[in-house]
Each structure stands twice: as structure tokens, then as C-alpha cells.
Amino acid sequence: MIQLNTIHESPVTRRKLVIIGNGMAGARMAEDILAADPNHDFDIVMFGDEPYGNYNRILLSHVLNGSQEPQEIFLNPLAWYEENQITLHAGKRVTKIDRENKIVYADDVAEEYDVLIFATGSRPFVPPIQGTTLHGVFVFRTIDDCRNIAEYAKDCKSAIVIGGGLLGLEAAKGLMTHNVSVTVVEMGPWLMAVQLDEAGGKVLQQTIEKLGITALTSASTKELLGHTTVTGVKFADGREVAADMVVISAGIRPNKELAAEHGIVCDRAILVDDQLRTSDTSIYGVGECVQHRGMVYGLVAPIWEQTKALAQLLTGKNPQARYVGSKLATKLKVMGVELASMGRISDVKPTDEVVTFAEPGRQVYWKAIVRDGKVSACCMLGDLEPADQLVDYFMNDTPAPSRRLELFFGSGTKAQGADFSLADMPDDKQICDCNGVSKKTICDAIRAGKCTVPAVGKATRAGTGCGSCKTLVKGLIEAVNGEVKAEPSESWYVTAVPMDKPTLVAEVKIRELKSVSAVLRELGTADDEKSKNGLASMLKSIWGTEYIDERDARYINDRVHANIQKDGTFSVIPRIYGGITSADDLIKIGQVAKKYDVRMVKFTGGQRIDLLGIKKDDLPKVWADLGMPSGYAYTKALRTVKTCVGTEFCRYGTNDSTALGIALEKKFQGFEFPAKVKLGVSGCPRNCSESTVKDIGIVASDGGDWDILVGGAAGASVRKTDLLCRVKTQEEAIRVVGRFMIYYRDNAKWIERTYDFVPRIGIEKIRDIIVNNSLGIVEDLDREVEKTIAAYVDPWLERNNPVYAGQFEDVKTVPLPMVTV
Amino acid sequence: MQTSTQTRLALCQIDDLPVGLGRSFEVGETPIAVFRTRAGKVFATDAFCPHKGGPLADGMLAGDQVVCPYHAFRFDSQTGECDQANVCAIATYPIDVAADGGVFITV
Ligand code: SRM
Ligand SMILES: Cc1cc2nc3c(=O)[nH]c(=O)nc-3n(C[C@H](O)[C@H](O)[C@H](O)COP(=O)(O)OP(=O)(O)OC[C@H]3O[C@@H](n4cnc5c(N)ncnc54)[C@H](O)[C@@H]3O)c2cc1C
Ligand code: SF4
Ligand code: FES
């Protein structure tokens, strides 16, 4: 039965405003009404097809590339709607409108309206070709799309993105972070045809190809190949390219159907006038679903102008408010490439003057079109130094300088020239283009005490879009407040305890907090699993053997000393010191593998052997049969010491790398850190054990000394190590390594690997402390090394005495009682 | 027509449940994860995560939520609701602890 929702307690004079669509435009509409008149007389009701509160769609690319969590991009949580007395029907799609009686219907809900606003946005355009419904074919528009793409990409090696526009490139970049090789396919002759001309498109192509993305232009897709799952695409010219997944980003189509079906006049989108009114005077439209003076926009900036004008009108604050169209000037960052675009660059008349500047070496390309002495369009790529100045010329129709080159190379005559300062910027100057935030709004927030970039972002939204204005925001904070405060939570060791590491360590010591639950009880403000893990690691290094080891503060891998696999079984990697094993050990490993029916026996990237697919119940037995210590492949601890054959066999070796590798691994095994630590030892500068991309690498120099290198990695981040020092002997090498390890252990943030830690502290400072003993702590560090060694117990010995009930038990079976029928 | 009867069954002793952690059971043919929070609350949910089948008893507790060990989706101990959109809630089962420490589940 359909339930009619009318708000009875409201006085008769109240009007009911219904908004269809809870996207960027819909939510902003509601906000703008609240802002225009806090005492407005509307009962606001919103329908959103997506089952959430409102999120920032332009940040989806960040979610896809993993730099932001889905939770982080939500703008208005459900509580916001409640607080502002807005009824939100989330997950409800409006399917019917009764214009005569002014009622909208969605599923089982019906709402009457006095004023109705369409904010239905648009949807991805899927070309009418074969295969678009195959498994592994995606579009990129919603948070669910992001999640599905990311999830599917895990099992993929290659992906094709159809469409080389802004969104297609964002999708491609996102996919790169999931380690798939990406090909972007563009039907037109160059990339980003809307924003760039041919030369610019070519520059962009070179830039992204350098990043490892293949771009195919003038390639028209004819068919997606595959039976149930997509396997590739076929082009009109007959070429086929294989791929494990396809993302279609071939443009958008306004969601106008609902309006059209109910007799509202539409063209390419829902037609609205300067008052944003449709052909029905009670019905309005904002956002990507509308067409205004012939324009359908695909960016957020015009939306902010539309909702603002409409809010003024509807609340009666300014009955003269009109929306007269937007001039689009956007600064974007596509795959790390800076890009600015104003007006329509493809629109060149014979009488226009075209001013270009190109610097191919740096992939810089600037082009401006001057029409009737004014800048009518512009695109800039690679370096946006003069972009603000051009935006100004473009937006304000300022006459272009007669020496046209001054467009790009300002003569200092304009405010934005050489001595341009933030203070001179007019108050209404838009700083954040993504969210339409002016300088004044930001400065007001700063004066109200928001003195960090994230705090300003939270209060005004500035900087929470593409992020390109964050430096300006920071500059404004400096200008208004004198200094930028650091965001406190950024310095916290874990999120559940609002303290940086040194404060936390001090508190823990003073209060003698020896267990995770004690710390959370006394100092915590929340309880989450990541914080528990982090605290456990820290407390263990502070208290050593006195640490009260609560197993519920550990992740499953650290509870059963093995890595959980996707089917609930585990993997077992025994320690193989320095990557050197023996025939007997290999036989033993082979026998164990056979006895327990190990599904896969694999050489790892860390020079040892992984037995995969072991049941939890079998773990203790496998360890006992192997009789080898744990390789700690699961926890934040010393992982492997990779070695090369060195002097023992290699004709180039100058130093005994295997001996040093084994000695290091034996000494430091079981050391736990804020993040994993991997070592490599190479017997000569040829560096066959890849020591220059390890957390700690040791490389024999030509003269036979050892170079101690730190802060390298070659996983999700690749960083070459920094040279800490050069030592003469193996003993010295071990000592320096130990000192560095403890210093890192005690000063790094949770999950901060050395590749972030070393640059954060600075190699000079670390060298001063570890090598030159500038703080006088090296003896303490040495003592700490010995203390940690003394506290080491092979965790696999828990096989004999499980420390908690069911530690190594898969399932307990409880039979149902027999029932007589 | 089918009728379903609810049965209250002895599951284990309270000491069989590790503090702050979960443990997995198979009650008849139903896989169930049983948790005991640090605050002393005992509760039972489906054993597997609706996302990709993560074994929830191998997860961790964050306050009153179970965190799946695979991709860290969270489920409410009371309602079984997931913090992620479009993931269905997991079933929860009534459980009680007798004075002598016997743990009973109703399925
Ligand atoms: C087994 C192994 C792959 C293999 O078969 O070769 C492996 C397996 C895993 N790696 Fe790795 N890594 C393995 C060598 C590496 C290497 C190469 C190396 O160590 O020389 C790297 C790059 C080097 C580096 O770390 O700088 C590597 C970089 C990563 C990363 C990226 C870390 C980063 O901060 O960049 C992760 C993700 C993480 O730690 O968050 C990761 C995470 C993982 C996890 C633990 C993912 C997980 O949470 O389940 C994988 C466990 C699989 C399993 O269940 O067994 N693995 N992983 C290798 C074990 C080596 C060993 O003997 O212990
Ligand atoms: C990945 C990505 C990156 C982007 N990056 C940028 C950028 O950097 N800069 C920029 O300016 N723009 C960017 N855009 C474009 C920008 O997001 C859009 O211009 C903006 O979201 C349009 O807002 P809207 O409210 O009109 O539509 P939407 O945000 O799509 O909202 C419409 C909502 O209405 C709902 N809806 C539709 N029909 C119904 C119905 N019948 N009943 C109920 N609900 C309905 C939809 O589910 C949707 O939630 C990006 C877009 C994407 C997808
Ligand atoms: S083993 Fe490492 S690289 Fe391979 S899938 Fe797992 S985490 Fe990724
Ligand atoms: S399987 Fe549980 S979160 Fe993915």
C-alpha cells in the first residue's frame, strides 16, 4: 500500500519542497536554501536513487585510486538531514509524477509538493555495441561503480578504458594503482577533445604514456569480446586488443526521461529558463539534467551558480535573482598533469588570433584564442603558472595586452603579475573552483578559528575537491592568521588515542599502562581494530617482557602466526636465514608439503618457501614437523634478509654477503616494528640482492667496505635508499643496523615504513643521531637491541601451548538434538 | 507449509570463548560465529561475511562491531547491519549465559 506522507503538525502556511536527486546539485540546493534563509518556510523532502547520504562525486577518482576511503568523501551524513529537518528518502527512485495533484511517487512512498526541483543529474552513456553487459564491463559514475571496479581489478592484469576524456583518464589512473596495465581508447583523433586542441592532446598523450598507460586514438570500438566475461575489444578496423576488464567512459546523458514522460519540455536535457523553471511553473531544474540557453554543463561550477540563484528566488530573498549561464574556467589535475581550460578551444574563427607557447621537453603547452581583443578560450597543460591571470582575462572580459606574449609572461602591470599577492585578491574571487568557495568565505572561516587546511575544508569545503587550491588556502591561512596550525589528528600515533607518539609513550610510561585495553580505557576516545594493532606493537617495544599481551588486540595473522588466505586457510613461511637452505631442509619441507596436501609450494619474492592452503587446525602440526622457526611473513616485523652469493662463489664478490645476511637475520629475527622491515645484502655494487630498494640495504663498495643504505622500497611505493654511512667491518655494519632499527621502531608512526620515515626525519638528521651520536643515545639504542633479542621467543612454539581457547581450531561442531517427528 | 521451531542448545562453556575474540561453531548445519567482548557481552552472528565470505570469527572487535578479517567491513553485533552500503546485514542469534557458565544459543 502506498503511504502518503504529509507533514501534519506544520502550519498551513508552510510550503512543501520536493527535490528529486540527492547528488551534487540536489544536496547543494537544500544547503543553499538553508543558507539563503534559515527561517525559510519550506518542508524539504529529498529523493535519492542511491542508498546513501550525499557524497562528493568529483572525489570518486580518489576513491578509485585508493587515496581516499569511501567514508571520507561523504558531504552530508544522514544525521545532517535530520538536524535540518529534511526528510531524505534514500534508495528511492521517483518513477511517477502526478502534476495535476502535485504528488511524486517512488516505490511505496508518495509526497505532495508545492515546489518540485529536478536534480536528477546524468548517467554514463553506454554505446549501443555488443558485449556491454558482459561480466567485467563497468561504467564510472557512482560510489558503487568505484567499489566494483576496484574489487574486480584485483584479479585483473589488463584493462581497457573506452573514452579518452576527463573521466576516462581519471578511471585509467585509478586502475593503474590497482596494478593493471591500462589502455585508453579514444574514438576522436586526440585525448580530451573537449578541453584540448590537437597539439595539446598529443602532449597529454606523451605525458600519460610516460606513466605507463597506452593510448589509442582514432580507434572506434565495435564490439566487446567474450562469452560471459569480457576478454577484450574489437575495433571498427578489425583490430582486437585483449583485456581482463573494460571501463566505459564514453560521455554522459542527462536524466531527462522522468520529466519528458510527464510532459515537461525537454531537448537534450530538461529545458529551463533564467529562473531555472521548466515548462511547468511549479517545477524547476538544476544540475546536469538541465539545458539552459542551449548549454548542458558537465562540471560542478555552473551548478553552484544555479542552486544559489534558485535558492534566492524560492526563499524570496531576491526575487530578481537570475541565472544567466556560466563561463567555464576549470583547473584540473589529470593523472598528475596540471590542466587549465577556459571556453571552447575548438571554436576558432578565421579572424581570431591564436597565441601559443610550447616547451616539449617539459611537456608544457599553452594556447589562448584572442577574439575582438579579448581572451575567448584557453588551454594550458603541464605548468599552470599564468593560469590565474588568464582566468581573469577570460572571466572579466578584460582586454588582452597588446603585446600578446604578456598573456603568458605577465609584465607586472596587472595585479596577478610579478608582485601579485593574496591580500590583493578581491574578496569575491573564487578560490576553490570545485566547490565554488570564495576568498571571503575562507577568510571568515580562518578568522573563526579554522587554522588548518583540513579544518577550513570541513567548514567551507574549499580544497576538498580536486585539491589543487590547497596551496592557496594555506597561503590565506598564513596571510590571515600568521601561521598554519598542523592538523592535530595527523600527528596522532593511532586514531583511537588523540596523542602523538612521544606524548603517548610518555603517558604510557608514567601511568604504567601495559596492555592495550588499559591504554584505551585511560587515554582512548574510540575503539577500533587498527588502533589496537598499533598500540599492541608500541606497548611491546616499550615494556618488552612486562607487556601484557592481549590477543584480541591482534589481527588474525598475528594471532595464529600465519597469513590468512582468501578461502580461510593459511600460508606458512619458515625462516630461511639469508635465503640459504640445505638439501635436508628442502627434503623436510617437501615431506611436510606432501603430508598436509599443501596446495601450492612457492618460492617467494623474499628468497624463501611458502606453503599455501593450510588449515588452521593443521598449523601447529605443520610447524612441529618442519621444526623451523617462523619466518614472520605475516606481521609488522623483520621479514627477510635477501642476499646474493657474494665472495663465496661469485667471481665479482668483494665481501661475504651471505655470512653478513645470515648474521643479521639471526640477530634481529622477531624484532617488531611499526611496519614491516626488509633487508638486503649485496657482495658488490652490482647489487644482485636489490639492496637499494630495501628498508635497510647493505652493499659492498668497490674498496671492500660496506655501505649502509636506508629507506628504500619496491612495493606499492618505489624509493631508492639513502646512504646512511660506510663502515669497514661486518660487526660495525650489524651495530649500525641495530641502532637504526631501534630508532625507527621508537620514532615511526604506526604503519609508517622506512620509505616514509627516512624522508620525514631527513637522512642528515638520522645520520647525526645514529652515526655521529648527536643526541648521545647510541648506547641506549644498543641496550635496547639486546633487550629485544632477549625478549624474542619463536611464536611457532605456541603450537605446544595455545594461549587462548580455540587458537588453532577451525570450527567447533555442535550437533542438533534428535527430534522425533 | 513449513513450520520452524526454535531450539535452545548448549554450545560450550564461557571459558571456551576467548576474551575479546570470536570463535566459530557449526550448530547442526548452520555455521555461526560467537563472540565475547571485553565488556563481557556474548553474541552470535552468521559465520561468514556476505561480501566475500570472510570468516568473521577470525575478525576483530571494534566496540560492539565485528570487523571482517578480509576487507574490514564492519557489522553491528545487535542488528547485524553492515557499515558499507549495499551489503546485506548478517543474521544474529539469541544467546544466553547461564549462572554456571554454560553458553546457550537459540537457533
Ligand atoms: C608471499 C609474498 C609473495 C610471493 O609469493 O613472493 C608476499 C605476499 C604478500 N604480500 Fe608482499 N609478499 C612477498 C614479497 C614482497 C616484496 C618483495 C620482497 O620482499 O623482496 C615486496 C616489495 C618490497 C617492499 O616491501 O618494499 C612486497 C610488497 C608488499 C606490499 C607493499 C608494501 C608497501 O608499503 O609498499 C604489501 C601491502 C602491505 O604491506 O600493506 C604486501 C602484502 C602482502 C600480503 C601480506 C597481502 C596480504 O595482506 O594478504 C601477501 C600475503 C600473501 C599470503 O597470504 O601469503 N606486500 N611483498 C612474498 C613474501 C616474501 C617473504 O618471503 O616473506
Ligand atoms: C568520477 C567523476 C569525477 C568528476 N570530476 C569532476 C571534477 O573534477 N570537476 C567537476 O567540476 N566535475 C567533475 N565531475 C562531474 C560532476 O560530478 C557532476 O557535474 C555533478 O555530479 C553533477 O551533479 P548533479 O547533481 O546534476 O548530478 P549527480 O551528482 O549525478 O546527482 C544526481 C542524483 O540523482 C539521482 N537520481 C536520478 N534520477 C532519480 C530519480 N528518478 N529519483 C531519485 N533519484 C534520482 C541519482 O542517483 C544521483 O544520485 C566528475 C564526475 C565523475 C563521475
Ligand atoms: S602476493 Fe603481493 S603482489 Fe601478489 S597479490 Fe598478494 S599482495 Fe599482491
Ligand atoms: S569478505 Fe568480509 S569484508 Fe570482504
Side-chain angles (χ1 to χ4, degrees), chain A residues 792-813:
Chain A
Y792 166 68
V793 185
D794 174 19
W796 283 0
L797 295 176
E798 279 175 13
R799 60 182 175 248
N800 303 325
N801 302 300
V803 289
Y804 62 87
Q807 185 180 10
F808 299 118
E809 235 177 275
D810 248 332
V811 205
K812 233 174 137 64
T813 311

Side-chain angles (χ1 to χ4, degrees), chain A residues 52 144 151 532 555 565 616, chain B residues 52 58 61 69-70 85-86:
Chain A
Y52 321 100
D144 289 341
E151 194 55 44
K532 287 200 264 192
Y555 180 62
Q565 309 291 308
K616 204 199 260 175
Chain B
K52 296 263 162 117
D58 282 341
L61 294 177
Y70 280 6
N86 286 356

Side-chain angles (χ1 to χ4, degrees), chain A residues 537-550:
Chain A
S537 154
M538 189 194 84
L539 292 176
K540 186 164 185 185
S541 58
I542 296 177
W543 297 113
T545 48
E546 285 173 62
Y547 165 59
I548 301 169
D549 186 359
E550 294 166 343

Side-chain angles (χ1 to χ4, degrees), chain A residues 69-111:
Chain A
E69 293 293 319
Q71 301 88 286
E72 291 175 56
I73 70 163
F74 276 88
L75 293 171
N76 297 319
L78 294 173
W80 178 86
Y81 294 87
E82 251 169 60
E83 275 161 33
N84 292 294
Q85 277 130 35
I86 297 174
T87 311
L88 171 66
H89 296 296
K92 303 268 182 208
R93 183 174 183 79
V94 173
T95 48
K96 195 178 140 197
I97 304 169
D98 177 349
R99 281 172 52 199
E100 206 162 312
N101 298 305
K102 298 195 175 174
I103 304 174
V104 294
Y105 295 89
D107 291 349
D108 50 350
V109 193
E111 293 276 6

Side-chain angles (χ1 to χ4, degrees), chain A residues 639-656:
Chain A
R639 291 283 170 94
T640 57
V641 182
K642 200 162 161 173
T643 68
C644 70
V645 285
T647 38
E648 247 180 300
F649 291 92
C650 177
R651 65 202 161 107
Y652 293 118
T654 56
N655 290 26
D656 193 349

Side-chain angles (χ1 to χ4, degrees), chain A residues 20-27 47-50 55-61 92-95 106 118-123 140-142 146 166-167 170 252 255 258 286-289 297-303 330-332 433-434 465-466:
Chain A
I20 311 178
N22 184 30
M24 303 290 276
F47 286 90
D49 197 8
E50 298 181 69
Y55 61 86
N56 192 342
R57 197 173 304 284
I58 69 182
L59 293 186
L60 285 180
S61 348
K92 303 268 182 208
R93 183 174 183 79
V94 173
T95 48
F118 270 89
T120 48
S122 50
R123 61 179 179 279
F140 184 31
R141 176 86 193 172
T142 65
C146 266
L166 171 63
L167 281 187
E170 287 291 346
I252 52 176
N255 288 321
L258 179 67
V286 285
E288 282 188 349
C289 64
Y297 297 100
L299 289 169
V300 293
I303 298 178
T330 39
K331 276 190 268 172
L332 303 162
D433 294 327
C434 294
C466 70

Side-chain angles (χ1 to χ4, degrees), chain A residues 713-733:
Chain A
S717 298
V718 181
R719 183 177 191 273
K720 187 170 185 254
T721 44
D722 297 320
L723 175 66
L724 180 62
C725 60
R726 178 172 280 196
V727 298
K728 294 244 171 274
T729 65
Q730 190 166 312
E731 289 65 42
E732 279 176 275

Side-chain angles (χ1 to χ4, degrees), chain A residues 31 67 143 156 207 404 450 515 589 681 713:
Chain A
E31 282 179 17
S67 61
I143 209 159
C156 291
T207 316
R404 303 291 199 227
K450 314 287 180 214
S515 71
I589 290 172
V681 187

